[in-house]
Amino acid sequence: MSLSVETGGRPRRALLPRVPGEWLVLAGLVLFVGALSILPLARLVQAALFPAGTFDAARIAEVLGGRRVAEATINTIWISCAATALATVTGTLAALLAGLTDLRGRTLWVFGFVLPLMIPPQVTALAWVQAFSPASPLLGPLGLSLPPGMRHPLYSAWGIVLLLGFYNAPLVFLSVRAGLRRLPADLVEAARAAGAGPLALSRDIVLPLVRGAVFAGAALAFVSSIGNFGIQAMLGIPARVPTLITLIYRRLNAYGPSALNDMALMALMLAGLTVVGMGLTGWLGRRGDQRVEGAARRLRLPLGRWQIPAGLLAWGYLAACLLLPLSALLGTALVRGYGQPLGPDTITFENFANALFHHEGIRKAFLTSLWLTALAVAVLVPVSVALGYVLSWRSGPVARLLQLASELAYALPGIIIGVAMILFFLRPMPLIGTSFYGTVWVILAAYLANYLALALRPVLGGYAQIDRALDEAGQVAGAGLIARLRDIVLPSLAPAAAASAILVFMSAINEIQTSVLLVSSRAQTIGPTIIFLDEAGSSTLAAAVGCLMVAVVLGLMLASLAFGRRLPEGVLPWRD
């Protein structure tokens, strides 16, 4: 650390030595990230490539060359690519409409467009299936539902593509919208003055300038599509469309820990596809990225006579992709039996009462998720504050390694983290002599590894707004690191830390991608429960649980808006 001091009217940099307390914090962060991210992933690589201590190419070829694995790999690649294309087109068009025009009700529309991203994917899939099923509580009375006996079109590979595309469109939207906010307004206005129409303006000026943001969003959509277990499981398993992520899940259920080495190999292949996809989109984005220097200011191009058609299209999209599925989910939850019409004689709140008070398995799963999530938040917020201090105001290989390890654990599909945690915690732990496999502590470890980077993002944005000289002055005055964080940093960082807590809580309370492999008879969480209920034929009860999940997410999103103005731009993605 350095401090600027005045000598003879000229500033100079005086180096301040690091105190032992800072070294202890740095060592603690290295231990935390190493034990929860680096070592489990290293164990995954070892189990995949060197299960017996040596590299066995024949075994790798046998496992990966099998018919089921090859079919699942091909399905994973083309489904993810098709879903990414759909998400990229949808998200980019939405960002252009909301980011460049004077669309009426834009703030509310942005909130609704981003909302599906916060809803658990298994709930999204269940809502869509029930919305268009022959027993649809909304379309059935209107005569618009599927005829009885007809195969549901969503139970197919293209059904998975459709839902993954709509689910991940907000990721592309957020990336492109951020790029549009950096767009030089003068350049666009000059093109308009020269007579460029909306189509030419978008094609020749706007899209080339935000091409990097489009490809960045596509990379996020690709990673999310590959690792989205909820939609792939809810639609792919009944349709017998195997993907790598569902194949790993089904093999663990069929063979148990004895198949862990093969699962690790498939998980490593899944990680490789993720890295290749991200690298390819990043390379394409860098090749086509155009940069223009100049101050950016918000653009609001008038829609004029297109205001009504654009508004009908935008709000119609939300009605079809958000309100219809969620209304059908609510309608299914409000009837006693699946397939009953929704009316005054059939409406009931018994499913909600059972979910909240009478069903012991659901109640235990919800309480377990609640305290596990609260504990994860309580650990990750202070850890992210300390790690943010190191990443923002320190430099060096250790800081870069900590950031890379935390980002890698968040970027990889959650099921890979689940396999890594099983492998790492299956054997008795050193010194303790006890295995944590099958307990809630493995799920907690997975949450801490998976959501550290998510907790860190708002905190880093908060550090960017704090004057570092305040911390340096505190160090000169003799204050230790803990005292400086408590008395100097935290008062300014409190809104960002609160946003970090909300984001982690929202993501973990309904999480399924990681915990689906880690739940057991002793440790159940609410995320996978909805899949288990649907598989058991309790569709109305599953719908009630799904509605409660949506209510929790919606409540937290609305509550976060109360202090959203005090946060750095972009911390809350649903705030326009």
Side-chain angles (χ1 to χ4, degrees):
M1 179 184 295
S2 61
L3 175 67
S4 294
V5 295
E6 293 291 330
T7 56
R10 298 178 60 187
R12 65 178 178 85
R13 306 293 291 178
L15 297 179
L16 297 177
R18 296 189 180 185
V19 295
E22 296 189 23
W23 287 111
L24 290 177
V25 170
L26 186 62
L29 292 172
V30 171
L31 181 63
F32 183 90
V33 176
L36 295 178
S37 297
I38 299 176
L39 292 180
L41 291 176
R43 176 72 180 93
L44 174 71
V45 174
Q46 184 270 326
L49 302 180
F50 308 96
T54 57
F55 183 77
D56 190 349
R59 168 189 161 271
I60 294 175
E62 180 183 358
V63 173
L64 299 184
R67 184 183 62 84
R68 294 290 291 176
V69 175
E71 181 184 5
T73 302
I74 293 173
N75 285 338
T76 297
I77 293 173
W78 84 259
I79 287 175
S80 298
C81 290
T84 299
L86 177 60
T88 302
V89 172
T90 306
T92 301
L93 292 177
L96 293 175
L97 182 63
L100 293 181
T101 71
D102 60 345
L103 178 72
R104 292 171 184 168
R106 185 182 61 256
T107 299
L108 181 60
W109 188 85
V110 169
F111 185 92
F113 189 84
V114 177
L115 178 60
L117 186 62
M118 306 297 153
I119 298 174
Q122 67 273 28
V123 176
T124 298
L126 181 65
W128 276 80
V129 167
Q130 294 183 350
F132 295 97
S133 68
S136 173
L138 295 180
L139 299 182
L142 300 176
L144 300 177
S145 62
L146 297 173
M150 178 180 177
R151 180 179 176 86
H152 202 301
L154 289 179
Y155 288 128
S156 63
W158 286 108
I160 300 174
V161 169
L162 181 69
L163 262 64
L164 286 177
F166 289 152
Y167 186 83
N168 294 319
L171 290 173
V172 183
F173 169 84
L174 294 172
S175 178
V176 177
R177 186 181 65 166
L180 291 174
R181 286 175 173 173
R182 299 189 297 269
L183 197 66
D186 294 341
L187 184 65
V188 177
E189 290 171 350
R192 290 186 63 220
L199 182 60
L201 183 67
S202 300
R203 183 189 64 232
D204 301 330
I205 303 295
V206 175
L207 286 178
L209 293 175
V210 298
R211 191 175 301 174
V214 173
F215 280 104
L220 293 174
F222 182 80
V223 171
S224 179
S225 297
I226 279 185
N228 193 311
F229 176 80
I231 291 176
Q232 293 186 40
M234 292 288 286
L235 302 182
I237 292 178
R240 297 184 179 180
V241 179
T243 58
L244 281 175
I245 199 168
T246 57
L247 188 61
I248 292 172
Y249 167 73
R250 300 190 74 177
R251 287 204 175 181
L252 179 65
N253 288 341
Y255 301 106
S258 62
L260 277 176
N261 290 336
D262 292 349
M263 288 170 51
L265 192 56
M266 288 185 284
L268 197 61
M269 172 181 280
L270 194 63
L273 293 177
T274 302
V275 173
V276 169
M278 292 183 66
L280 180 60
T281 51
W283 175 72
L284 291 174
R286 285 191 298 272
R287 285 192 64 195
D289 195 15
Q290 304 292 329
R291 301 185 183 276
V292 177
E293 299 296 333
R297 55 188 173 87
R298 294 292 180 88
L299 279 169
R300 285 292 176 257
L301 304 179
L303 286 171
R305 61 189 177 93
W306 295 100
Q307 181 71 246
I308 294 178
L312 290 175
L313 181 63
W315 291 100
Y317 175 89
L318 287 190
C321 297
L322 179 64
L323 294 182
L324 177 61
L326 292 184
S327 299
L329 188 72
L330 179 61
T332 302
L334 290 174
V335 295
R336 287 183 173 86
Y338 185 63
Q340 290 183 345
L342 183 64
D345 298 332
T346 59
I347 191 170
T348 179
F349 292 94
E350 289 181 2
N351 294 313
F352 289 99
N354 289 334
L356 289 171
F357 307 111
H358 305 310
H359 195 291
E360 184 179 0
I362 296 175
R363 188 173 68 253
K364 285 184 177 180
F366 178 76
L367 291 176
T368 299
S369 293
L370 189 63
W371 75 261
L372 273 179
T373 301
L375 185 57
V377 169
V379 172
L380 287 179
V381 170
V383 169
S384 63
V385 170
L387 184 56
Y389 180 92
V390 173
L391 298 182
S392 299
W393 294 342
R394 289 287 185 268
S395 61
V398 175
R400 289 193 293 270
L401 178 62
L402 290 174
Q403 185 169 19
L404 176 63
S406 61
E407 290 287 348
L408 182 62
Y410 182 68
L412 291 176
I415 204 163
I416 296 177
I417 304 299
V419 175
M421 290 298 171
I422 293 174
L423 289 164
F424 187 68
F425 288 103
L426 183 61
R427 299 173 182 173
M429 299 300 296
L431 301 179
I432 302 176
T434 301
S435 171
F436 290 145
Y437 177 69
T439 68
V440 294
W441 306 114
V442 180
I443 302 177
L444 177 62
Y447 285 177
L448 295 177
N450 206 29
Y451 295 119
L452 176 58
L454 182 63
L456 190 61
R457 290 177 183 177
V459 171
L460 290 177
Y463 270 106
Q465 296 185 336
I466 300 176
D467 188 355
R468 184 179 177 185
L470 297 174
D471 177 73
E472 294 174 332
Q475 185 174 352
V476 171
L481 177 59
I482 302 300
R484 300 199 308 275
L485 289 175
R486 182 189 64 229
D487 301 331
I488 298 175
V489 174
L490 276 182
S492 301
L493 205 62
S500 173
I502 290 176
L503 287 174
V504 172
F505 192 91
M506 288 178 55
S507 301
I509 188 66
N510 297 324
E511 191 276 335
I512 186 175
Q513 323 284 51
T514 302
S515 59
V516 69
L517 294 182
L518 303 177
V519 294
S520 64
S521 58
R522 295 181 295 167
Q524 289 283 347
T525 59
I526 196 65
T529 299
I530 193 169
I531 290 183
F532 302 153
L533 289 172
D534 189 62
E535 288 177 344
S538 302
S539 298
T540 55
L541 190 57
V545 175
C547 289
L548 293 174
M549 290 180 175
V550 174
V552 170
V553 169
L554 185 60
L556 288 171
M557 289 175 66
L558 293 174
S560 67
L561 295 177
F563 59 91
R565 296 184 182 277
R566 300 180 57 192
L567 298 174
E569 191 175 86
V571 167
L572 297 179
W574 49 88
R575 176 172 170 258
D576 184 38

